[in-house]
Amino acid sequence: MAIDIEKLKAEREEAWRVEVRNAIKPKDRMALERVKMTEVDPNVRNKSYVEVNEGLTLEQAREEAKRCLDCPNPGCMTGCPVEINIPKFIKNIERGEILEAAKTIKQTSSLPAVCGRVCPQEKQCESQCIYTKSKKQAVAIGYLERFAADYERHSGKMAIPELAPANGIKVAAIGSGPAGLTFAGDMAKRGYDVTVFEALHEIGGVLKYGIPEFRLPNSIVEAEIDNLRKMGVKFEPDFIVGKTATMDDLRAEGFKAFFVGSGAGLPRFMNIPGENCIGIMSSNEYLTRVNLMGAADPKKDTPVFFGKNVVVVGGGNTAMDSVRTAKRLGAEHVYLVYRRSMDEMPARKEEIKHAQEEGIEFMLLHNPIEYIADEKGRVKQAVLQVMELGEPDERGRRSPVPVEGKTVTIDTDMVVVSVGVSPNPLIPNAHPELHTTQKGTLEANDALQTTKEDVFAGGDIVRGGATVILAMGDGRKAAASMDEYLKSKK
Amino acid sequence: MNLIVAKELFSANVAKFVVEAPRIAKSRRAGHFVIIRIGEDGERIPLTIAGSDVEKGTITLVVQRIGVSTNKLFNLNVGDYITDVVGPLGQATKIEKQEGTVLACGGGVGVAPLLPIIQAHKAAGNRVVAVLAARTKDLIILEDEVRKSADEVIIMTDDGSYGKKGVVTVGMEDVIAREKVSEAVVIGPAIMMKFAALTTKKYDIPTVVSLNTVMVDGTGMCGACRVTVGGKTKFVCVDGPEFDAHQVDFDGMLARMAGYKAEETAALEAWKAAQNN
């Protein structure tokens, strides 16, 4: 999809926009300091599930919005996988039209309150901001996005985007995570009759089972899903396409095309001795128990271990979510064991900072090689290999190599393995006409069409393991491709 | 939400439920299971499917009450709803025409998931001898249904109150001694499957067991159900639930199944106390 440059230019020349832009000189705008997000005190928040980032006030948001220069060729938009009209929404904030700002975002993003919280903006829009390019701190686009979405939700005036007249064509999204929800929103806007099938009992995918409450409250995900419901999107939980019914069964029921956004699925383990003993689990299991099943709440039936000395293995955002969750569930020591150094850590800088503030103990350049169990089969120690950095690999990341003969043994009563996920084979296994790559991801062309013409796919089932925003970008792109495909079939 | 259309008590702690689930009724095969959840605070637990009626759109579940979740289900009656039923999950049983006898062994409620496997073997033209085992007479379930499909049924009880006195392996040895057994299928408590597997291993009889480990999502996402099979980590929910019995690390599995024992016992006590108030 290409950004419509002509339309952008015309919008930029609207009278209100010119007026806002000319009210302050660029030099004065650039002299303003980037706003600081207020955060709950680390020693308070690490004992509760309260959201860490408190959000901006109206004054803070309008002040920050002034920093945006409203560039004629906005770099930020090219950094946004869903191509939000960033200058337009920010200038709406500057002039105090917050509901208009929210509406602008929702023209292209179905989940603004989610993106405003969990997008790695520093790697997306903010990395392309004119300020970043001139070595200054980028406009806080992410904070502003969140502000606009939260303001709208609290106003009770949640706008439903304009919908094309219903065309009666049934299409399905498989999986209700960020890819599926974005796809559903975009297709509903185009007038399609959309049903989202979800394997779990709750809608939201990784937004519900994976990302913890302190980073993305479930009530916010619910509000975005409700908005999709109001747009006519139907949801079928407890339905596993490929098991409960196949795509062929659904074709017979009138579905004309499918979008597979079933996610990454299978957690990876390290296959080291003792890894199957009691108290060792995947981050998917740990986070699902706590986030989806509410296991830390005594009135819920699902149990979870409350480790005192917790080891989390890995350096991604999921590892950060796991260490911070363990701390909140009362652990005295939480060790983040990562085989490389801080520089190579794939987690967002903000998550690393938050984890450090909350008292997580980082054991960098360490890698577990064995777990030792007590007589009941419960983990009691982890043997860690000390590592050092070797030559850079093909991606330029320096590879960790073991320091011969140097190990450390630490006491632990719970281990969370967070070393990545493999694609879930459920959909490809049930539908052999969908070809997979060597990694097990679904094969899809640039238009995100799979080897079966009426099946499109995106998010982690195609990418392996990626982010919420990239999954959303795929959902949006697949919707455009599917729309084109269905129109060509008429 | 899935409506309970029939409930039958097999014993004080074992009941059969017939539940509306038209899509699952149609797509399930022998060996499949479902995940259910009772109430908004409920946990997700796996239950094997004992049968289905495609026309009525129902599936049959047999449950023994042990912990909080099975007790909650046990307390539901005809007209009540199960909050969530999702499936069918797992790989279906591989049914092949066998030269010799298929020895089908069920312990306790393990007879429920064994029944569709017996029916499928019979439909494939195999001779099936079933050994049903339980502690005592009252705990032998689905005997009439098994008799309808199996060529012969041997009952074993620990206390000798019904059939022959002894554990399941005694009945198995009798059959193996007198006729050529090509395959054994064993479903029951983990400890029973472990010893049944040791028995058939002596005679080199290919043996399948169906494992019922702790699960959360049931679709491969969490790995709670993992077991070691032939030295490799396998997920019961997507790779199983059936595995080559001679490759399964039963001791590791037994340890993992007891992982939440303390939490489960405490939860059950609390639940019982709440019921009495």
Side-chain angles (χ1 to χ4, degrees), chain A residues 225-426:
Chain A
I225 292 165
D226 265 346
N227 211 42
L228 289 170
R229 278 201 187 94
K230 285 183 199 142
M231 290 164 67
V233 175
K234 290 170 224 163
F235 291 96
E236 285 247 22
D238 290 330
F239 195 117
I240 305 175
V241 176
K243 289 282 187 188
T244 311
T246 62
M247 286 191 212
D248 271 343
D249 296 330
L250 296 173
R251 282 184 188 102
E253 291 173 27
F255 284 91
K256 297 296 180 210
F258 301 85
F259 171 70
V260 183
S262 54
L266 301 185
R268 260 187 233 140
F269 286 94
M270 295 171 67
N271 295 311
I272 57 175
E275 203 176 22
N276 286 351
C277 62
I278 302 166
I280 303 181
M281 68 193 96
S282 71
S283 48
N284 265 5
E285 177 181 349
Y286 185 53
L287 295 173
T288 300
R289 283 182 185 273
V290 177
N291 299 337
L292 180 75
M293 307 308 295
D297 177 350
K299 82 173 202 293
K300 300 280 185 175
D301 292 344
T302 306
V304 69
F305 295 129
F306 292 84
K308 287 283 160 239
N309 291 299
V310 178
V311 168
V312 174
V313 187
N317 287 322
T318 313
M320 295 304 151
D321 288 342
S322 301
V323 287
R324 297 172 70 196
T325 297
K327 193 78 191 176
R328 282 161 173 77
L329 300 197
E332 286 157 18
H333 293 281
V334 184
Y335 303 99
L336 182 97
V337 174
Y338 179 53
R339 62 192 179 133
R340 303 178 204 243
S341 75
M342 196 67 101
D343 288 342
E344 290 81 23
M345 212 177 262
R348 289 187 67 191
K349 291 280 173 289
E350 182 180 47
E351 307 308 326
I352 296 171
K353 178 185 97 110
H354 283 163
Q356 285 173 320
E357 289 168 354
E358 288 167 15
I360 306 306
E361 295 157 62
F362 282 56
M363 293 189 78
L364 304 170
L365 291 165
H366 282 79
N367 198 33
I369 50 170
E370 188 184 354
Y371 297 105
I372 298 165
D374 66 12
E375 66 288 348
K376 283 183 178 158
R378 192 174 284 266
V379 66
K380 64 169 186 184
Q381 284 177 320
V383 182
L384 311 177
Q385 169 72 52
V386 177
M387 312 292 282
E388 62 187 356
L389 290 180
E391 295 301 309
D393 61 13
E394 67 274 14
R395 287 160 67 192
R397 267 205 314 189
R398 293 181 66 189
S399 313
V401 282
V403 179
E404 210 54 57
K406 233 180 138 184
T407 61
V408 184
T409 300
I410 56 171
D411 289 344
T412 178
D413 53 353
M414 186 180 122
V415 177
V416 178
V417 182
S418 184
V419 295
V421 282
S422 307
N424 195 319
L426 224 147

Side-chain angles (χ1 to χ4, degrees), chain B residues 31-112:
Chain B
H32 280 149
F33 67 94
V34 289
I35 291 260
I36 69 150
R37 191 175 72 113
I38 314 278
E40 287 311 313
D41 294 334
E43 66 181 330
R44 296 170 64 96
I45 58 164
L47 290 174
T48 30
I49 304 170
S52 72
D53 186 324
V54 178
E55 269 164 38
K56 290 187 182 139
T58 58
I59 57 170
T60 304
L61 305 173
V62 174
V63 61
Q64 177 173 17
R65 57 170 160 175
I66 299 169
V68 172
S69 298
T70 45
N71 265 291
K72 280 185 173 177
L73 175 58
F74 205 89
N75 283 358
L76 296 182
N77 290 301
V78 172
D80 290 339
Y81 286 85
I82 300 180
T83 316
D84 297 280
V85 178
V86 62
L89 295 159
Q91 304 290 331
T93 311
K94 283 191 192 71
I95 305 285
E96 282 162 1
K97 175 75 183 101
Q98 301 288 351
E99 255 176 57
T101 300
V102 172
L103 181 57
C105 312
V109 282
V111 176

Side-chain angles (χ1 to χ4, degrees), chain A residues 475-486:
Chain A
R476 183 165 160 74
K477 189 169 172 185
S481 302
M482 187 189 286
D483 181 42
E484 211 167 286
Y485 160 78
L486 289 169

Side-chain angles (χ1 to χ4, degrees), chain A residues 42-96:
Chain A
N43 285 316
V44 172
R45 72 189 193 225
N46 69 10
K47 292 169 195 71
S48 92
Y49 254 57
V50 64
E51 198 180 1
V52 173
N53 286 346
E54 295 183 298
L56 304 181
T57 61
L58 177 61
E59 292 70 31
Q60 280 177 315
R62 291 188 65 183
E63 198 59 19
E64 179 64 20
K66 283 182 191 163
R67 295 182 68 226
C68 170
L69 302 182
D70 198 7
C71 305
N73 292 308
C76 52
M77 283 185 70
T78 62
C80 175
V82 295
E83 296 155 352
I84 291 172
N85 190 337
I86 293 167
K88 183 176 171 187
F89 100 72
I90 294 185
K91 290 301 116 179
N92 265 311
I93 293 179
E94 186 176 342
R95 69 164 169 157

Side-chain angles (χ1 to χ4, degrees), chain A residues 172-175 179-180 183 257-261 448 454-459 471 474-475 478-479 482:
Chain A
I174 301 169
F183 165 86
F258 301 85
F259 171 70
V260 183
L448 296 178
D454 63 345
V455 182
F456 297 74
D474 286 354
M482 187 189 286

